[in-house]
Amino acid sequence: VEVYCANPKCGAPLPQYEENCLVCGRSGGAPNVRNAGLKEERDALQARVGKARKLALARRCASELANFEAYVGMSQAVIVRPLAVLDSFVHSDNQLLLTFHQAVRAKGRLPDKNEWDPRRETVDSAINPYIFDRIHFAALSGDGKGVSSFGGYHVTLKESAVELRTTVFEENGFPFLDRHHNRVPPGYRAAWPERGLLAVAKLHSKLSAGISTSVFPDILLDQGTTHGDSDFIEVHIYGLLHRRAIERVEGAKPVRKEDKFIWRKIRRSLEGIGVEVMET
Ligand SMILES: [Zn+2]
C-alpha cells in the first residue's frame, strides 16, 4: 500500500519511514501513525477485536467490555523517570528529553549492563524500523501511574501533545518479540484515537460479568511483582519531547536531604509553567 504526499502540486509517493516528502519537503506526519493506519494493520486489528467481542458476548460481559473500551479511550500516556532525569528535563524551556538511543549516541549515557540494554536496538528497530531512535516510550494509564519499576516519578503527558504523533503497541517489545519468534505480525498496533480497540483485543479475557470498574486501571497496566514482569500497552511518541507537554507529575516526597532539595526545585519549575504536581 502506497502513501502519497498531501501537497496537491506534488503527490509523490512517501517512503514508509520518512516524515517529510523527499520531493517537496511537505510533512507527511509521524511515520509510526501512518504505518499503524495501513490497511493490513487495521484489518488485522479489527479481526482481533471482532473475536474479542464475540468471546465477551459468550461470557456475558459484552457491556463490561464496551465500558472498558470507553475507559481506555480516555487513558493517557505516562512516562516514569527517576528524580535526576526529571530534574534535567523540566528545569528550563531549552531542555528536551532524549530517547535512550539519542542519549547513547550523544555519549550522554552508557547502556546499562542489565538484561535489556544490549538487545534494545534490535527490539526497537524490529517494531519501528529506521525511526526507533526518535520514539519516546510511555505506558497507557488510566490513573496517572506508569510502570513503577522505571523510576519514582510519573509524568502524564497532555492529550494535545501526543494525539497527532502517537501510536500504541500491544506490550513491551521484549516479551512481544520472544512470544512471536522475533517477528512483528500486523494487528498489534493502533493510532492514538484507537487505543481502546487495541486494549479490547489484548485484554478482553480479563473482564468478567459484573466486574467493577475500579479494577480497570490494574487491568490496563499490571505492575507485576519484580522488574520485567509488568504488563502494559506501550505508547510510542514520535519526535521531540518538551517539558510543556507535561500535564501532571506524581511522585513520593523523597527521604534523603539532597533529593528533597531537587524535588523542591522540580516542583518550583513545574508549578511555574502550570503543571499539576501531586506528592504521594
Ligand atoms: Zn511532496
Side-chain angles (χ1 to χ4, degrees):
V1 193
E2 199 99 70
V3 177
Y4 296 93
C5 174
N7 177 354
K9 292 180 192 160
C10 176
L14 276 181
Q16 194 176 0
Y17 296 104
E18 286 293 329
E19 181 182 344
N20 297 328
C21 173
L22 298 179
V23 178
C24 75
R26 175 156 170 163
S27 172
N32 56 322
V33 176
R34 266 182 4 232
N35 293 331
L38 293 175
K39 189 173 183 310
E40 66 159 354
E41 289 285 355
R42 299 173 62 110
D43 286 353
L45 179 59
Q46 276 304 339
R48 293 181 68 208
V49 169
K51 204 166 135 194
R53 292 208 173 112
K54 209 177 280 175
L55 288 168
L57 200 60
R59 294 191 298 114
R60 299 176 195 284
C61 58
S63 68
E64 287 81 356
L65 188 64
N67 288 343
F68 182 66
E69 182 180 347
Y71 170 80
V72 178
M74 314 257 286
S75 63
Q76 291 182 289
V78 178
I79 290 179
V80 179
R81 286 294 184 279
L83 198 64
V85 177
L86 184 62
D87 181 35
S88 70
F89 177 35
V90 305
H91 102 260
S92 98
D93 268 341
N94 298 331
Q95 222 55 46
L96 294 168
L97 187 65
L98 293 180
T99 69
F100 169 84
H101 301 288
Q102 288 166 341
V104 168
R105 253 167 236 176
K107 301 284 183 250
R109 67 162 290 169
L110 295 172
D112 282 326
K113 287 198 183 74
N114 58 22
E115 58 179 306
W116 312 107
D117 284 359
R119 273 183 74 205
R120 203 171 288 281
E121 184 152 339
T122 314
V123 168
D124 292 348
S125 68
I127 295 165
N128 288 294
Y130 310 111
I131 58 167
F132 64 90
D133 60 329
R134 280 161 280 165
I135 300 273
H136 286 280
F137 291 92
L140 212 49
S141 168
D143 63 359
K145 294 213 175 47
V147 183
S148 297
S149 59
F150 294 164
Y153 295 85
H154 300 246
V155 178
T156 301
L157 300 175
K158 292 173 183 165
E159 174 82 10
S160 59
V162 297
E163 60 187 349
L164 300 178
R165 54 171 171 150
T166 299
T167 44
V168 290
F169 187 72
E170 185 82 358
E171 61 177 327
N172 184 318
F174 289 88
F176 183 89
L177 285 177
D178 288 343
R179 229 193 298 288
H180 292 88
H181 312 290
N182 292 314
R183 289 180 50 254
V184 188
Y188 294 93
R189 63 181 92 213
W192 182 251
E194 294 187 324
R195 57 201 184 283
L197 292 180
L198 186 71
V200 162
K202 175 184 177 182
L203 297 166
H204 63 96
S205 68
K206 310 253 181 201
L207 298 168
S208 53
I211 194 168
S212 162
T213 55
S214 66
V215 299
F216 283 180
D218 297 329
I219 292 178
L220 181 58
L221 195 162
D222 177 353
Q223 298 285 1
T225 47
T226 55
H227 183 68
D229 74 343
S230 53
D231 185 32
F232 54 94
I233 292 183
E234 200 168 70
V235 176
H236 298 165
I237 305 150
Y238 176 83
L240 305 176
L241 213 49
H242 190 272
R243 66 173 188 162
R244 292 192 189 249
I246 301 174
E247 177 173 303
R248 188 168 174 277
V249 172
E250 180 179 323
K253 189 174 179 166
V255 183
R256 289 167 53 204
K257 198 173 162 202
E258 52 273 41
D259 290 344
K260 277 187 185 148
F261 171 78
I262 297 172
W263 177 232
R264 262 204 308 277
K265 187 155 115 353
I266 290 173
R267 292 191 62 149
R268 258 202 313 276
S269 301
L270 289 171
E271 283 161 2
I273 54 167
V275 174
E276 184 192 343
V277 179
M278 203 182 117
E279 209 167 71
T280 54

